Amino acid sequence: MSNFKRFSSRAVGIFSFFASTSLVFANPAQAVSIDLGSFTRVGDVDAIGNQANISTASSTFQDDFPQAAGRFNYTGNNPVAAGNPLETAVGLNPGDLDNDLFNAAFEGSAITSNLNVRKGDRLIFDWNFLTNDTFDDYAFFVANGVVTRLADVSNANNASSFFNSETGTATFNYTFANTGNYQVGIGVVDIGDFNGTSALEISNAQTEPVPEPLTILGTGVAAGFGVILRRKRSKKQTIS
């Protein structure tokens, strides 16, 4: 009898320890495809499903957008002027997309939307920046007023079928630092002139939720000690 009591006391103590220090595992999260076609379009944008094509091509200024129309399904819409409305549309202040005082943003296009996220969620998409320009046009990503450059003309070192050069496809990952509503924007901007066309291809856009914590050790320990205690009781009754 005393041996069983001593075992029970030890078991309760060990169980209490493990239950209070349960091991937390990550429950794998499933990525969710984003419908970029539902984003607000600013300027020359063609978007459907989780793909979008964005350009600085302008019929107004007759810049060079050659046979790329076949690849981009060129809609014929003009890019918008930098400042207001371009920066304003993606949650920036006029002038935020300028390189500096002497290299101002002239025009551009973008897509934008508001996303409700949790801390640790990720936004992922593939992108390719293409250009015919020699000025410092660039592609960008914006989240709540903070600009991240994806690439500029100097990074476009690969031959392109429809443009003079392109970066080639790369993957962008953005991790949201806090839970809440984020305005995000993705676009391309023409720096220094209206003449050379630059464009941005977006594909495989998706969000990846932060993994759900899954506590399993406490449950497992409880079940294990339950089995042991039942066996001890059964053994004691048999001996008696």
Side-chain angles (χ1 to χ4, degrees):
M1 180 70 176
S2 59
N3 289 336
F4 180 74
K5 285 183 177 180
R6 284 198 296 272
F7 173 80
S8 300
S9 298
R10 290 172 185 168
V12 170
I14 294 172
F15 167 73
S16 299
F17 169 76
F18 278 108
S20 64
T21 57
S22 297
L23 191 61
V24 177
F25 289 88
N27 190 23
Q30 297 295 320
V32 179
S33 181
I34 296 177
D35 180 14
L36 296 179
S38 67
F39 279 39
T40 299
R41 306 180 188 193
V42 184
D44 183 49
V45 175
D46 180 42
I48 183 170
N50 65 354
Q51 299 186 350
N53 299 320
I54 308 166
S55 90
T56 65
S58 172
S59 59
T60 302
F61 294 102
Q62 297 299 313
D63 54 357
D64 53 340
F65 196 63
Q67 67 269 30
R71 178 172 177 175
F72 274 75
N73 298 315
Y74 178 45
T75 61
N77 295 327
N78 289 317
V80 298
N84 188 0
L86 180 60
E87 281 101 319
T88 302
V90 295
L92 298 174
N93 296 314
D96 282 353
L97 293 178
D98 293 349
N99 277 350
D100 53 48
L101 182 62
F102 302 102
N103 292 281
F106 275 49
E107 61 180 353
S109 301
I111 54 175
T112 183
S113 185
N114 289 291
L115 302 178
N116 287 309
V117 299
R118 293 184 305 161
K119 181 178 179 180
D121 286 357
R122 294 197 304 161
L123 173 64
I124 306 168
F125 58 83
D126 294 333
W127 59 271
N128 182 24
F129 175 70
L130 311 96
T131 189
N132 290 324
D133 212 335
T134 56
F135 282 91
D136 205 15
D137 296 4
Y138 66 89
F140 62 88
F141 169 79
V142 179
N144 277 5
V146 179
V147 180
T148 300
R149 291 199 181 198
L150 301 176
D152 59 36
V153 170
S154 67
N155 304 124
N157 300 315
N158 298 312
S160 177
S161 300
F162 299 109
F163 285 78
N164 291 338
S165 60
E166 62 182 66
T167 58
T169 302
T171 300
F172 178 75
N173 290 271
Y174 181 84
T175 301
F176 295 98
N178 297 292
T179 297
N181 184 278
Y182 279 71
Q183 182 180 5
V184 299
I186 309 169
V188 61
V189 65
D190 209 348
I191 299 292
D193 63 14
F194 295 103
N195 296 321
T197 296
S198 293
L200 180 65
E201 294 178 318
I202 302 296
S203 60
N204 301 319
Q206 56 189 320
T207 54
E208 185 177 273
V210 63
E212 291 280 0
L214 182 64
T215 304
I216 63 171
L217 185 56
T219 303
V221 170
F225 274 106
V227 172
I228 293 172
L229 288 173
R230 284 196 299 273
R231 288 178 178 174
K232 282 289 184 179
R233 291 195 185 99
S234 177
K235 184 176 180 180
K236 179 178 180 297
Q237 291 170 358
T238 301
I239 293 174
S240 300

